[in-house]
Coordinates of all heavy atoms in Angstrom, one line a residue:
M1 N -155.2 32.0 21.8 CA -155.6 33.3 22.2 C -156.0 33.3 23.7 O -156.7 32.5 24.1 CB -156.7 33.8 21.3 CG -157.2 35.1 21.7 SD -158.6 35.6 20.6 CE -157.9 37.1 19.9
S2 N -155.5 34.3 24.4 CA -155.8 34.4 25.8 C -157.2 35.0 26.0 O -157.6 35.9 25.3 CB -154.8 35.2 26.5 OG -155.2 35.4 27.9
T3 N -157.9 34.4 27.0 CA -159.3 35.0 27.3 C -159.2 35.8 28.6 O -160.2 36.3 29.1 CB -160.3 33.8 27.6 OG1 -159.8 33.0 28.6 CG2 -160.5 33.0 26.3
A4 N -158.0 36.0 29.1 CA -157.9 36.8 30.4 C -158.2 38.3 30.1 O -157.8 38.9 29.1 CB -156.5 36.7 30.9
Q5 N -159.0 38.8 31.0 CA -159.3 40.3 30.9 C -158.4 41.0 31.8 O -157.8 40.5 32.7 CB -160.8 40.4 31.4 CG -161.8 39.7 30.6 CD -161.8 40.2 29.1 OE1 -161.8 41.4 28.9 NE2 -161.8 39.2 28.2
P6 N -158.2 42.4 31.6 CA -157.3 43.2 32.4 C -157.6 43.0 33.9 O -156.8 43.1 34.8 CB -157.6 44.6 31.9 CG -158.1 44.4 30.6 CD -158.8 43.1 30.5
D7 N -158.9 42.8 34.3 CA -159.3 42.7 35.7 C -158.9 41.4 36.3 O -159.1 41.1 37.5 CB -160.8 43.0 35.9 CG -161.2 44.4 35.6 OD1 -160.3 45.3 35.7 OD2 -162.3 44.6 35.2
D8 N -158.5 40.4 35.5 CA -158.1 39.1 35.9 C -156.7 39.0 36.5 O -156.3 37.9 37.0 CB -158.3 38.0 34.8 CG -159.7 37.8 34.4 OD1 -160.6 38.2 35.2 OD2 -159.9 37.3 33.3
R9 N -156.0 40.1 36.5 CA -154.6 40.0 37.0 C -154.6 39.9 38.5 O -155.5 40.4 39.2 CB -153.9 41.3 36.6 CG -153.6 41.5 35.2 CD -152.9 42.8 34.8 NE -154.0 43.8 35.0 CZ -153.7 45.0 35.3 NH1 -152.5 45.4 35.6 NH2 -154.7 45.9 35.5
A10 N -153.6 39.2 39.0 CA -153.5 38.9 40.4 C -153.0 40.2 41.1 O -152.1 40.9 40.6 CB -152.6 37.8 40.7
T11 N -153.5 40.5 42.3 CA -153.0 41.6 43.1 C -151.7 41.1 43.8 O -151.7 40.1 44.4 CB -154.0 42.0 44.2 OG1 -155.3 42.3 43.5 CG2 -153.6 43.2 45.0
P12 N -150.7 42.0 43.7 CA -149.4 41.6 44.4 C -149.7 41.4 45.9 O -150.4 42.1 46.5 CB -148.5 42.8 44.2 CG -149.1 43.5 43.0 CD -150.6 43.2 43.0
D13 N -149.0 40.4 46.5 CA -149.2 40.0 47.9 C -149.0 41.2 48.8 O -149.7 41.3 49.8 CB -148.2 38.8 48.2 CG -148.5 38.3 49.6 OD1 -149.7 37.9 49.9 OD2 -147.6 38.3 50.4
A14 N -148.0 42.0 48.5 CA -147.7 43.1 49.4 C -148.9 44.1 49.6 O -149.0 44.8 50.6 CB -146.5 43.9 48.9
L15 N -149.7 44.1 48.6 CA -150.9 45.0 48.6 C -152.1 44.4 49.3 O -153.0 45.1 49.6 CB -151.3 45.4 47.2 CG -150.3 46.2 46.4 CD1 -150.8 46.5 45.0 CD2 -149.9 47.5 47.1
L16 N -152.1 43.1 49.6 CA -153.2 42.5 50.2 C -153.2 42.6 51.7 O -154.3 42.4 52.3 CB -153.3 41.0 49.8 CG -153.5 40.8 48.3 CD1 -153.4 39.3 48.0 CD2 -154.9 41.3 47.9
H17 N -152.1 42.8 52.3 CA -152.1 42.8 53.8 C -152.8 44.1 54.3 O -152.6 45.2 53.8 CB -150.6 42.8 54.3 CG -150.0 41.5 54.0 ND1 -150.3 40.3 54.6 CD2 -149.1 41.1 53.0 CE1 -149.6 39.3 54.1 NE2 -148.9 39.8 53.1
A18 N -153.6 43.9 55.3 CA -154.5 45.0 55.8 C -153.9 45.7 57.0 O -154.4 46.7 57.4 CB -155.9 44.5 56.1
R19 N -152.9 45.2 57.6 CA -152.4 45.8 58.9 C -151.8 47.2 58.6 O -151.1 47.4 57.6 CB -151.3 44.9 59.5 CG -151.0 45.3 60.9 CD -150.2 44.2 61.6 NE -148.9 44.0 61.0 CZ -147.9 44.8 61.3 NH1 -148.0 45.8 62.1 NH2 -146.7 44.6 60.7
T20 N -152.2 48.1 59.4 CA -151.8 49.5 59.1 C -150.7 50.0 60.1 O -150.4 51.2 60.2 CB -153.0 50.5 59.3 OG1 -153.5 50.3 60.7 CG2 -154.1 50.1 58.4
G21 N -150.0 49.1 60.7 CA -148.9 49.5 61.6 C -149.3 49.7 63.0 O -148.5 49.9 63.9
T22 N -150.6 49.5 63.3 CA -151.1 49.6 64.7 C -150.8 48.3 65.4 O -150.5 47.3 64.7 CB -152.6 50.0 64.7 OG1 -153.3 49.0 64.0 CG2 -152.8 51.3 64.0
E23 N -151.0 48.3 66.7 CA -150.8 47.1 67.4 C -151.9 46.0 67.0 O -153.0 46.4 66.6 CB -151.0 47.4 68.9 CG -149.9 48.1 69.5 CD -148.6 47.3 69.5 OE1 -148.6 46.2 69.9 OE2 -147.6 47.9 69.2
V24 N -151.4 44.8 67.0 CA -152.3 43.7 66.7 C -153.0 43.2 67.9 O -152.3 42.9 68.9 CB -151.5 42.6 66.0 CG1 -152.4 41.4 65.7 CG2 -150.9 43.1 64.7
A25 N -154.3 43.2 67.9 CA -155.1 42.7 69.1 C -155.4 41.2 68.9 O -155.5 40.7 67.8 CB -156.4 43.5 69.2
P26 N -155.5 40.5 70.0 CA -155.8 39.1 70.0 C -157.1 38.9 69.2 O -157.3 37.9 68.5 CB -155.9 38.7 71.4 CG -155.0 39.6 72.1 CD -155.2 40.9 71.4
E27 N -158.1 39.8 69.4 CA -159.4 39.6 68.7 C -159.1 39.6 67.1 O -159.8 38.9 66.4 CB -160.3 40.8 69.0 CG -160.8 40.7 70.5 CD -159.9 41.3 71.5 OE1 -158.7 41.8 71.1 OE2 -160.2 41.3 72.7
D28 N -158.2 40.5 66.7 CA -157.9 40.5 65.2 C -157.4 39.2 64.7 O -157.8 38.7 63.7 CB -156.8 41.6 64.9 CG -157.3 43.0 65.3 OD1 -158.5 43.3 65.3 OD2 -156.4 43.8 65.6
V29 N -156.5 38.6 65.5 CA -156.0 37.3 65.1 C -157.0 36.2 65.1 O -157.1 35.4 64.2 CB -154.8 36.9 66.0 CG1 -154.3 35.5 65.7 CG2 -153.6 37.9 65.9
V30 N -157.9 36.2 66.1 CA -158.9 35.2 66.2 C -159.9 35.3 65.0 O -160.2 34.4 64.3 CB -159.7 35.3 67.5 CG1 -161.0 34.4 67.5 CG2 -158.8 34.9 68.7
L31 N -160.3 36.6 64.7 CA -161.2 36.8 63.7 C -160.6 36.5 62.3 O -161.3 36.0 61.4 CB -161.8 38.2 63.7 CG -162.6 38.6 64.9 CD1 -163.0 40.0 64.9 CD2 -163.9 37.7 64.9
A32 N -159.3 36.7 62.1 CA -158.7 36.4 60.9 C -158.6 34.9 60.6 O -158.5 34.5 59.4 CB -157.2 36.9 60.9
T33 N -158.8 34.1 61.6 CA -158.8 32.6 61.5 C -160.2 32.1 61.2 O -160.4 31.0 60.9 CB -158.2 31.9 62.7 OG1 -159.1 32.1 63.8 CG2 -156.8 32.3 63.0
G34 N -161.2 33.0 61.4 CA -162.6 32.6 61.2 C -163.1 31.9 62.5 O -164.2 31.3 62.4
R35 N -162.4 32.0 63.6 CA -162.9 31.3 64.8 C -163.7 32.3 65.6 O -163.7 33.5 65.4 CB -161.7 31.0 65.7 CG -160.7 30.0 65.1 CD -159.5 29.7 66.0 NE -158.6 28.8 65.3 CZ -157.5 28.5 65.9 NH1 -157.1 28.9 67.1 NH2 -156.7 27.6 65.3
D36 N -164.5 31.8 66.5 CA -165.3 32.6 67.4 C -164.4 33.2 68.5 O -163.4 32.6 68.9 CB -166.3 31.7 68.2 CG -167.4 31.3 67.2 OD1 -167.7 32.0 66.2 OD2 -168.0 30.2 67.5
V37 N -164.7 34.4 68.9 CA -164.0 35.1 70.0 C -164.4 34.5 71.3 O -165.4 34.8 71.9 CB -164.2 36.6 70.0 CG1 -163.4 37.3 71.1 CG2 -163.8 37.2 68.6
T38 N -163.6 33.5 71.8 CA -163.8 32.9 73.1 C -162.6 33.1 74.0 O -161.5 33.4 73.4 CB -164.1 31.4 72.9 OG1 -162.9 30.8 72.4 CG2 -165.2 31.1 72.0
P39 N -162.7 32.9 75.3 CA -161.5 33.1 76.1 C -160.4 32.1 75.7 O -159.2 32.6 75.7 CB -162.1 32.7 77.5 CG -163.5 33.1 77.5 CD -163.9 32.7 76.1
E40 N -160.7 30.9 75.3 CA -159.7 30.0 74.8 C -159.0 30.5 73.6 O -157.7 30.4 73.5 CB -160.3 28.6 74.6 CG -160.8 27.9 75.9 CD -162.2 28.4 76.3 OE1 -162.9 29.1 75.4 OE2 -162.6 28.1 77.4
N41 N -159.8 30.9 72.6 CA -159.2 31.4 71.4 C -158.4 32.7 71.6 O -157.4 32.9 70.9 CB -160.3 31.6 70.3 CG -160.8 30.3 69.8 OD1 -160.2 29.2 69.9 ND2 -162.0 30.3 69.2
L42 N -158.9 33.6 72.5 CA -158.1 34.8 72.8 C -156.8 34.5 73.4 O -155.8 35.1 73.1 CB -158.9 35.7 73.6 CG -160.1 36.4 73.0 CD1 -161.0 37.1 74.0 CD2 -159.7 37.3 71.9
E43 N -156.8 33.5 74.3 CA -155.5 33.1 74.9 C -154.5 32.5 73.9 O -153.3 32.8 73.9 CB -155.7 32.1 76.0 CG -154.5 31.7 76.8 CD -153.7 32.9 77.4 OE1 -154.4 33.9 77.8 OE2 -152.5 32.8 77.4
W44 N -155.1 31.7 73.0 CA -154.2 31.2 71.9 C -153.6 32.3 71.1 O -152.5 32.3 70.7 CB -155.1 30.2 71.0 CG -154.4 29.9 69.7 CD1 -153.5 29.0 69.5 CD2 -154.6 30.6 68.5 NE1 -153.1 29.0 68.2 CE2 -153.8 30.0 67.5 CE3 -155.5 31.6 68.0 CZ2 -153.8 30.4 66.2 CZ3 -155.4 32.0 66.7 CH2 -154.6 31.4 65.8
A45 N -154.5 33.3 70.7 CA -154.0 34.4 69.9 C -153.0 35.2 70.7 O -152.0 35.7 70.1 CB -155.2 35.3 69.5
R46 N -153.1 35.4 72.0 CA -152.1 36.2 72.8 C -150.8 35.5 72.7 O -149.7 36.1 72.5 CB -152.6 36.3 74.2 CG -153.6 37.3 74.4 CD -154.0 37.5 75.9 NE -155.2 38.3 76.1 CZ -156.4 37.7 76.3 NH1 -156.5 36.4 76.4 NH2 -157.5 38.5 76.4
R47 N -150.8 34.1 72.8 CA -149.5 33.4 72.8 C -148.9 33.5 71.4 O -147.7 33.6 71.2 CB -149.8 31.9 73.1 CG -150.1 31.7 74.6 CD -150.1 30.2 75.0 NE -150.8 29.3 74.1 CZ -152.1 29.0 74.3 NH1 -152.8 29.5 75.3 NH2 -152.7 28.2 73.4
K48 N -149.8 33.4 70.4 CA -149.3 33.5 69.0 C -148.6 34.9 68.7 O -147.6 35.0 68.2 CB -150.4 33.3 68.0 CG -150.0 33.2 66.6 CD -151.2 32.7 65.7 CE -150.8 32.6 64.3 NZ -149.7 31.7 64.0
I49 N -149.3 36.0 69.2 CA -148.7 37.3 69.1 C -147.4 37.5 69.9 O -146.5 38.1 69.4 CB -149.8 38.4 69.5 CG1 -150.9 38.4 68.5 CG2 -149.1 39.8 69.6 CD1 -152.1 39.2 69.0
E50 N -147.4 36.9 71.0 CA -146.2 36.9 71.9 C -145.0 36.3 71.1 O -143.9 36.7 71.2 CB -146.4 36.3 73.2 CG -145.3 36.4 74.2 CD -145.6 35.8 75.5 OE1 -146.6 36.2 76.1 OE2 -144.9 34.9 76.0
A51 N -145.3 35.1 70.5 CA -144.2 34.4 69.8 C -143.8 35.0 68.5 O -142.7 35.0 68.1 CB -144.7 32.9 69.6
E52 N -144.8 35.5 67.7 CA -144.6 36.0 66.4 C -144.6 37.5 66.2 O -144.3 37.9 65.1 CB -145.6 35.3 65.4 CG -145.5 33.8 65.5 CD -146.6 33.1 64.6 OE1 -147.2 33.8 63.7 OE2 -146.8 31.9 64.8
G53 N -145.1 38.2 67.1 CA -145.2 39.6 67.0 C -146.4 39.9 66.0 O -147.3 39.1 65.8
A54 N -146.3 41.1 65.4 CA -147.4 41.6 64.5 C -147.5 40.7 63.3 O -148.5 40.6 62.7 CB -147.1 43.0 64.1
A55 N -146.4 39.9 63.0 CA -146.5 39.0 61.8 C -147.5 37.9 62.0 O -147.9 37.3 61.1 CB -145.1 38.4 61.6
A56 N -147.9 37.7 63.3 CA -148.9 36.7 63.5 C -150.2 36.9 62.7 O -150.8 36.0 62.1 CB -149.3 36.6 65.0
L57 N -150.6 38.2 62.6 CA -151.8 38.5 61.8 C -151.4 38.5 60.3 O -152.2 38.0 59.5 CB -152.3 39.9 62.2 CG -153.6 40.4 61.5 CD1 -154.7 39.4 61.7 CD2 -153.9 41.8 61.9
D58 N -150.3 39.0 59.9 CA -149.9 39.0 58.5 C -149.8 37.7 57.9 O -150.2 37.5 56.8 CB -148.5 39.7 58.3 CG -148.6 41.2 58.6 OD1 -149.7 41.8 58.5 OD2 -147.5 41.8 58.9
K59 N -149.4 36.7 58.7 CA -149.3 35.3 58.2 C -150.7 34.7 57.9 O -150.8 33.8 57.1 CB -148.6 34.4 59.2 CG -147.1 34.8 59.3 CD -146.5 33.9 60.4 CE -145.0 34.2 60.5 NZ -144.4 33.4 61.6
L60 N -151.7 35.2 58.6 CA -153.1 34.7 58.4 C -153.8 35.3 57.3 O -154.8 34.8 56.7 CB -153.9 34.9 59.7 CG -153.4 34.1 60.9 CD1 -154.1 34.5 62.2 CD2 -153.5 32.6 60.7
L61 N -153.4 36.5 56.9 CA -154.1 37.3 55.8 C -153.5 36.9 54.5 O -152.4 36.5 54.4 CB -154.0 38.8 56.0 CG -154.6 39.3 57.3 CD1 -154.3 40.8 57.5 CD2 -156.1 39.0 57.3
P62 N -154.3 37.0 53.4 CA -153.8 36.6 52.1 C -152.7 37.5 51.6 O -152.6 38.6 52.0 CB -155.0 36.7 51.2 CG -156.1 37.5 51.9 CD -155.7 37.4 53.4

């Protein structure tokens, strides 16, 4: 017999992404990684956004 409750169902991945179609800021990418917002981390995030586009943030979110 299953003990899973209706609330135990997994949320589909497509519903978990928080990006609303707006531009992705380097600060968003840094914060999504749990890092501190420092000049070095912001530069890393700028390069990541340049290389991956808005997907840079989507890849970091569940």
Side-chain angles (χ1 to χ4, degrees):
M1 177 182 238
S2 173
T3 60
Q5 299 296 317
D7 293 336
D8 290 342
R9 292 178 288 152
T11 303
D13 187 55
L15 297 178
L16 293 174
H17 295 286
R19 196 167 64 79
T20 60
T22 60
E23 288 295 317
V24 174
E27 291 84 357
D28 297 332
V29 174
V30 171
L31 292 173
T33 65
R35 298 176 184 181
D36 291 328
V37 179
T38 65
E40 294 82 13
N41 288 341
L42 289 171
E43 183 56 34
W44 166 81
R46 283 186 196 97
R47 290 190 311 269
K48 187 167 180 62
I49 292 169
E50 186 177 304
E52 300 175 17
L57 183 59
D58 290 339
K59 291 177 181 179
L60 296 170
L61 298 175

